[in-house]
């Protein structure tokens, strides 16, 4: 959730997280045991992880993750003459852990079945020779194998705040069009593997990749940004180690967790059969006074020999898994991402887009419910889903080319300090230990010798001037610029927003918070940087948390918000966030109330000039202006409200605001100079809202 939503929540006494920072990035669902590539070692910052994921030529040194060992390096000999990044991987057995070495062979077999699929990783090589990942003499018999690198994972993209155009998003999927693109690409690649009777079964965010190309190539860690172009044509799938090919019975139980109710029920039956077989084997061996090969069932359940000899074909039941498991897991991912899309943006989207965001994730998850356990698989609805998503993409298509996605180092590296701006004098300081002149050509030395005497006289004159003014105080440093003041204030604001005083309106402001309030008031008077401080002053006036320094005043709150929205220096991205926050406050104080109190009327009337000025660009603001003119202002102004309504219906006919007012018949009521907020009219409006929700 962004910073402006935090301010809005504070104004309504609701605690909401502030602007995403590197330590507060949108949490992605946890990776499963075999996610590849998994998160690099925690010593790396998100910026370094982004460089690793986006630049395939970088080497990632061997590291361990959940009983797998991995390494990535650039391999010129693969796909000559281009070369490619290749992951080396091996499942291992560790002390006091599971023995997963059987899955080396299992994943190799699945990679062979996927050969030639462009949207799945490909097997490069397999070997049992010694390497950095595997020492046969000490690590036991096992095959390590290598597969192609397919780009950053969805888990990665969900961790990285990005800029698209001039607007900042918590992650790249926070726009409706990118969400729909992800859904369409995912269903398309699932159709490819399901046609081969393969069920991924472990479709977590770390096993889905979205490739991207760096537009500014070769960005080293010293640079402060990356600009990339994302390939939305298809999602790439990796890590098929725990997958199932329906025509081939698995060789062991699969170490999957957090599956659908249908998968859990299926696994429970197989697990019970395995435990019964192990108990019978253990009893028989004890009667024969023989030592069991596997001390516990946990040691036996992932061993092929156990199931081949004693499993009584219990694993055949796992072949009952089908496309429904993958749809359930993909729907779960889409549902978690959809929760963070701005509700106002979703409501104002076409119906096909609203279905993709609100309806599709639920429909996909329904395929994994318990009522599907005993049901035979119906025909896969993937083609119908993709057809609806294609319509949503057409409805969202503006004809403009895609804007590149930018990642800034300051968002991903908490220790990064940007270089001083050019012109401050700090960027040209001499580095310690570096001589100021490295040497001069001989000819230049000969030319400078005749000037020695003149130089000596000049130095002497300078020395005399310095001695004459030795008792004068040094010149005062230049005052800080507005941008420097804003940067310092922004850092203070991040600290203030995390306090209980701000989030829950608890207690009086302390000394640091009082200083921040004073600085906010000061910056609100500087035209270059006033827009954002004005918005915070509006939040303070709405809540009254500043005490006597800025008492609660609804009219002042509305005026500050209006001044912030219409400020000439307001960035478009910040105005969008402010507009969404103010619409939320307006609904709570005015639109959603049957009787509007005096303070809320003052708020609405003070905000009205900004609502009218921005009505053409933001349908929810237009709706607020119409409601204020028709119902709140004294005297009422039905003619002005009707003009705004006609503009809204003509310019944003598909928006949720236009649909609500159209369904309630506001145009006819205002044309007759009637009162659309009369209880009878209000009841009709509420009925239309209920119909829209359904």
């Amino acid at each position: 959730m962004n910073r402006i939503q935090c301010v809005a929540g504070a104004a309504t006494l609701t605690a909401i997280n502030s602007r995403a920072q590197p330590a507060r990035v949108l949490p992605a669902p946890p990776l499963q045991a075999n996610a590849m590539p998994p998160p690099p070692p925690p010593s790396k910052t998100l910026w370094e992880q982004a460089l690793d994921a986006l630049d395939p030529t970088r080497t990632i040194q061997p590291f361990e993750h959940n009983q797998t060992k991995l390494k990535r390096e650039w391999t010129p000999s693969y796909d000559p003459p281009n070369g490619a990044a290749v992951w080396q991987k091996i499942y291992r057995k560790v002390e006091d852990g599971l023995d997963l070495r059987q899955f080396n062979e299992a994943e190799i077999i699945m990679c062979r079945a996927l050969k030639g699929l462009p949207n799945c990783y490909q097997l490069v090589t397999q070997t049992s020779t010694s390497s950095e990942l595997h020492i046969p003499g000490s690590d036991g018999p096992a095959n390590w194998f290598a597969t192609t690198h397919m780009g950053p994972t969805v888990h990665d993209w969900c961790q990285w705040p990005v800029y698209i155009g001039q607007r900042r998003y918590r992650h790249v999927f926070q726009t409706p069009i990118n969400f729909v693109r992800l859904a369409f690409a995912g269903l398309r690649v699932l159709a490819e593997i399901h046609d081969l009777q393969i069920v991924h079964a472990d479709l977590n965010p770390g096993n889905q990749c979205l490739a991207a190309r760096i537009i500014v190539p070769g960005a080293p860690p010293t640079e402060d940004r990356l600009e990339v172009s994302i390939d939305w044509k298809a999602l790439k799938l990796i890590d098929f180690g725990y997958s199932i090919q329906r025509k081939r019975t698995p060789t062991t139980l699969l170490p999957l967790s957090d599956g659908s109710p249908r998968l859990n029920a299926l696994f429970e039956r197989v697990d019970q059969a395995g435990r019964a077989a192990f108990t019978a084997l253990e009893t028989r061996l004890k009667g024969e006074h023989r030592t069991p090969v596997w001390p516990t069932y946990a040691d036996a359940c992932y061993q092929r020999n156990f199931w081949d000899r004693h499993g009584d074909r219990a694993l055949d039941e796992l072949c009952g898994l089908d496309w429904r498991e993958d749809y359930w897991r993909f729907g779960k991912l889409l549902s978690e991402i959809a929760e963070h899309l701005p509700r106002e943006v979703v409501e104002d989207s076409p119906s096909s887009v609203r279905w993709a965001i609100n309806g599709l994730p639920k429909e996909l998850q329904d395929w994994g419910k318990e009522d599907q356990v005993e049901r035979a698989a119906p025909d896969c609805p993937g083609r119908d889903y993709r057809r609806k998503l294609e319509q949503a993409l057409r409805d969202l298509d503006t004809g403009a080319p895609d804007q590149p996605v930018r990642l800034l180092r300051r968002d991903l590296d908490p220790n990064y300090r940007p270089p001083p701006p050019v012109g401050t004098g700090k960027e040209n300081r001499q580095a310690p230990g570096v001589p100021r002149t490295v040497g001069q050509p001989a000819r230049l030395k000969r030319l400078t010798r005749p000037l020695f005497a003149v130089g000596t006289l000049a130095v002497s004159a300078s020395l005399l001037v310095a001695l004459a003014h030795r008792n004068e105080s040094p010149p005062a440093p230049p005052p800080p610029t507005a941008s420097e003041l804003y940067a310092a204030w922004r850092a203070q604001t991040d600290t203030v927003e995390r306090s209980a005083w701000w989030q829950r309106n608890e207690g009086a402001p302390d000394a640091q918070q009082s200083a921040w309030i004073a600085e906010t008031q000061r910056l609100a008077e500087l035209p270059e940087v006033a827009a954002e401080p004005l918005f915070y002053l509006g939040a303070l006036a709405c809540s009254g948390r500043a005490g006597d320094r800025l008492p609660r005043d609804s009219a002042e709150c509305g005026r500050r918000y209006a001044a912030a929205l219409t400020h000439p220096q307001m960035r478009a991205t910040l105005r969008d966030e402010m507009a969404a926050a103010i619409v939320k406050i307006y609904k709570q104080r005015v639109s959603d109330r049957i009787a509007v109190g005096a303070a809320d009327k003052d708020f609405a009337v003070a905000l009205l000039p900004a609502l009218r000025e921005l009505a053409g660009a933001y349908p929810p603001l237009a709706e607020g202006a119409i409601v204020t003119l028709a119902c709140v202002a004294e005297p009422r102004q039905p003619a002005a409200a009707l003009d705004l309504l006609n503009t809204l219906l003509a310019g944003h006919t598909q928006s949720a605001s236009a649909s609500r007012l159209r369904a309630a018949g506001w145009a006819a009521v205002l044309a007759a100079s009637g009162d659309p907020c009369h209880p009878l009219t209000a009841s009709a409006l509420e009925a239309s809202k209920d119909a829209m929700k359904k």
Side-chain angles (χ1 to χ4, degrees), residues 611-630:
L611 299 181
R612 298 185 71 171
E613 182 174 335
L614 300 175
Y618 302 92
L621 295 184
E623 182 181 2
I626 293 166
V627 172
T628 301
L629 290 168

Side-chain angles (χ1 to χ4, degrees), residues 403-605:
Q403 294 178 308
V405 174
R406 287 178 291 126
L407 289 80
L408 301 187
R409 186 173 182 179
R410 70 186 184 205
D411 293 331
L412 304 176
D413 185 351
N415 300 318
Y416 175 64
R417 295 294 179 267
V422 177
T424 62
K426 301 178 181 179
E427 72 278 6
N428 293 323
R429 288 180 178 175
Q430 190 73 13
V434 178
R436 191 167 297 276
T437 58
V438 182
Q440 295 177 324
R443 183 170 179 269
L444 181 59
K445 289 182 179 180
R446 289 196 301 271
L447 291 174
T448 56
R449 285 193 190 107
L451 301 178
F452 178 76
V454 178
T456 303
L457 291 175
V459 171
S460 301
S462 300
L463 180 60
L464 291 173
V465 173
L467 290 173
H469 297 282
R470 66 184 184 277
N471 293 325
E472 295 183 5
S473 59
T481 64
S483 59
E484 291 173 337
L485 291 172
Y486 171 80
W489 172 83
R490 183 63 255 167
Q492 292 177 330
T493 303
D494 290 339
T495 302
V496 167
E497 287 176 340
R498 293 192 291 269
S499 66
W501 169 75
W502 181 266
Q503 293 189 355
R504 297 187 291 276
N505 200 8
E506 292 181 358
D510 59 22
Q512 181 183 7
Q513 292 155 355
S514 297
W516 173 81
I517 295 172
E519 186 66 7
T520 304
Q521 291 174 314
R522 184 166 79 117
L523 291 186
E525 303 300 326
L526 300 179
E528 308 97 305
V529 296
E532 197 172 353
L534 281 170
F535 189 84
Y536 277 83
L537 290 180
L540 290 170
C542 276
S543 63
R545 61 169 51 82
D548 295 337
R549 184 181 292 274
L550 192 61
R552 177 177 294 179
D553 187 331
S554 295
E556 181 67 11
C557 171
R559 283 192 292 271
R560 296 286 190 177
Y561 279 154
L565 276 177
T566 57
H567 194 278
Q569 299 298 324
M570 173 65 68
R571 291 180 287 111
T573 171
L574 198 57
R575 181 178 283 116
D576 291 345
E577 296 175 2
M578 287 184 180
I582 290 173
V583 165
K584 181 179 180 181
I585 299 171
Y586 186 90
K587 287 182 178 179
Q588 292 175 344
R589 299 191 64 165
V590 181
S591 299
D592 293 345
R593 293 195 174 186
I594 298 176
V596 180
D600 296 328
K601 286 184 178 180
D602 292 342
F603 167 77
V605 172

Side-chain angles (χ1 to χ4, degrees), residues 180-488:
V180 176
R181 285 167 166 171
L182 173 67
F184 181 78
L187 290 177
R188 182 161 59 182
V189 70
L190 286 177
E192 293 176 4
I193 66 169
H194 293 161
D195 287 344
L196 297 178
Q197 298 295 304
I198 294 174
V199 180
H200 193 290
D202 191 21
L203 203 65
N204 63 68
N207 292 339
Q208 306 170 57
C209 298
L210 194 60
R213 177 178 57 85
I214 297 179
I215 299 176
V216 182
T222 55
E223 296 296 334
D224 64 349
R225 68 187 60 211
L226 283 172
E227 191 167 309
V228 300
S229 174
I230 298 178
D231 179 10
W232 291 102
K233 294 179 181 178
L235 209 61
K236 315 291 184 181
L237 298 186
I238 60 175
D239 281 8
F240 284 76
Y242 300 159
S243 301
I244 291 174
Q245 194 170 14
R246 301 194 66 201
K247 60 185 180 181
R248 182 193 297 270
T249 301
T251 56
T252 72
L253 196 63
L254 303 178
L256 293 173
S257 60
D258 193 29
S260 70
R262 183 173 180 274
L263 178 140
N264 293 339
L266 191 63
F267 270 40
E268 184 177 357
R269 290 202 298 265
V270 176
D271 185 64
Q272 288 176 352
R275 290 181 184 276
F278 182 81
T279 300
L281 174 63
E282 189 177 38
T283 302
R284 179 167 61 82
L285 292 177
K286 285 183 179 179
E288 298 174 357
H289 304 288
R290 294 164 57 190
T291 303
V293 178
W294 306 284
T296 66
Y297 175 67
D299 297 309
C301 65
Y302 300 121
Q303 298 300 316
R304 179 172 184 171
N305 289 341
F306 168 74
W307 292 98
D308 287 348
R309 298 176 183 177
H310 312 288
D312 196 23
R313 304 200 65 82
L315 293 173
D316 289 351
E317 195 162 0
L318 294 181
C319 292
L321 279 181
D322 52 46
W323 55 266
R324 289 176 286 184
E325 179 62 23
D326 288 342
Y327 273 29
W328 180 87
R329 288 181 180 266
F330 191 54
K332 183 180 178 183
L333 168 65
L334 293 179
S335 178
E336 292 171 349
I337 294 176
E339 290 177 0
H340 298 275
L341 267 68
R343 291 295 94 188
E344 294 80 7
V345 175
V346 176
E347 290 176 3
D348 287 328
S349 299
S351 58
S352 60
V353 180
R354 293 199 298 272
W355 169 84
I357 296 172
N358 298 326
L360 176 62
K362 183 180 182 301
E363 291 186 29
L364 293 175
Q365 287 182 281
D366 286 345
W367 291 112
K369 287 185 174 180
E370 292 182 0
D371 60 1
Q372 296 287 329
V373 173
E374 302 299 336
R375 293 185 182 179
D379 292 337
C380 180
R383 181 172 298 177
D384 292 336
Y385 289 155
R386 297 196 300 276
R387 179 177 50 80
K388 293 181 180 179
L389 290 172
E390 286 176 335
Q391 180 60 50
L393 289 173
R394 285 193 293 269
D395 291 341
L396 288 168
D397 185 14
T398 62
D402 282 347
Q403 294 178 308
V405 174
R406 287 178 291 126
L407 289 80
L408 301 187
R409 186 173 182 179
R410 70 186 184 205
D411 293 331
L412 304 176
D413 185 351
N415 300 318
Y416 175 64
R417 295 294 179 267
V422 177
T424 62
K426 301 178 181 179
E427 72 278 6
N428 293 323
R429 288 180 178 175
Q430 190 73 13
V434 178
R436 191 167 297 276
T437 58
V438 182
Q440 295 177 324
R443 183 170 179 269
L444 181 59
K445 289 182 179 180
R446 289 196 301 271
L447 291 174
T448 56
R449 285 193 190 107
L451 301 178
F452 178 76
V454 178
T456 303
L457 291 175
V459 171
S460 301
S462 300
L463 180 60
L464 291 173
V465 173
L467 290 173
H469 297 282
R470 66 184 184 277
N471 293 325
E472 295 183 5
S473 59
T481 64
S483 59
E484 291 173 337
L485 291 172
Y486 171 80

